[in-house]
Amino acid sequence: RSSRIDSSSTVSPGLIMRLNFTSFSRPATGTPSPVTCLLSSTAPAGVAMMKLEGKTAFITGGGGGIGGGMAQAFAEKGMKLVLADIDLAHARDQAAEFGDSAIAIALDVTSLDSWAAAKAAAYARFGQVDVLCNNAGVGGGGSMATLTERDWSWVLGVNLWGVIHGVQAFLPGLLEQGE
């Protein structure tokens, strides 16, 4: 697997920077899988992307897949990594590839208490978080005709509320950092 971060980026005034990177995680087809990650920025539109070296990225679903591709790409830019995943064993395996510059954290994105604990662990280790990648996501696990209300609640809990919880947990701190 290889990844790269494109030099192209855009900044929305006062809030969000868009970082474009491509993860080549399907070597059999050679088809790149584009991913967009949001970063805090108070810089005006058109300002170049923040320097990533020495910064900290918090990646949900960080135990592999696209999250693993993000971790690799960020590590290549000199970033510290917080790999958060509901499967702590997978997150630990992934974090081991990056040595002391990465930690693995158990995170259930549907739980505000889990977010609070994960944020506290990230700040305790690295002092701050500069990039939040709300990457964790799930599918329903069957055809739409067979999905139950419980299945849909799970999908929405992870794919919608997980993102909202991540933004609620980290956005105030990202804005306070004023980068």
Side-chain angles (χ1 to χ4, degrees):
R1 170 189 50 186
S2 65
S3 303
R4 69 179 161 83
I5 298 176
D6 295 340
S7 59
S8 65
S9 66
T10 58
V11 179
S12 300
L15 254 200
I16 301 298
M17 182 180 295
R18 181 175 174 163
L19 169 68
N20 301 308
F21 82 89
T22 305
S23 173
F24 298 94
S25 56
R26 291 179 275 171
T29 64
T31 306
S33 172
V35 179
T36 299
C37 190
L38 302 178
L39 297 84
S40 164
S41 175
T42 55
V47 171
M49 187 172 63
M50 73 160 70
K51 180 181 169 206
L52 298 178
E53 187 174 353
K55 303 288 185 178
T56 302
F58 187 105
I59 305 169
T60 68
I66 293 172
M70 289 179 184
Q72 180 65 41
F74 287 140
E76 289 171 3
K77 295 295 181 184
M79 293 188 77
K80 297 171 276 190
L81 308 169
V82 179
L83 305 181
D85 204 292
I86 196 159
D87 187 332
L88 183 56
H90 282 134
R92 283 182 176 148
D93 289 346
Q94 188 73 37
E97 295 181 23
F98 305 107
D100 290 339
S101 65
I103 60 169
I105 296 177
L107 174 64
D108 174 355
V109 297
T110 67
S111 164
L112 287 171
D113 290 339
S114 187
W115 272 103
K119 178 183 175 184
Y123 276 74
R125 175 65 184 273
F126 294 121
Q128 71 180 41
V129 169
D130 305 286
V131 176
L132 169 63
C133 294
N134 277 315
N135 169 65
V138 296
S143 74
M144 290 182 70
T146 63
L147 295 178
T148 66
E149 185 173 340
R150 184 176 178 183
D151 296 329
W152 283 109
S153 291
W154 175 62
V155 169
L156 289 173
V158 173
N159 297 348
L160 174 63
W161 285 105
V163 173
I164 292 169
H165 293 159
V167 170
Q168 288 176 326
F170 283 99
L171 187 57
L174 290 170
L175 293 174
E176 275 182 30
Q177 288 165 210
E179 295 184 64

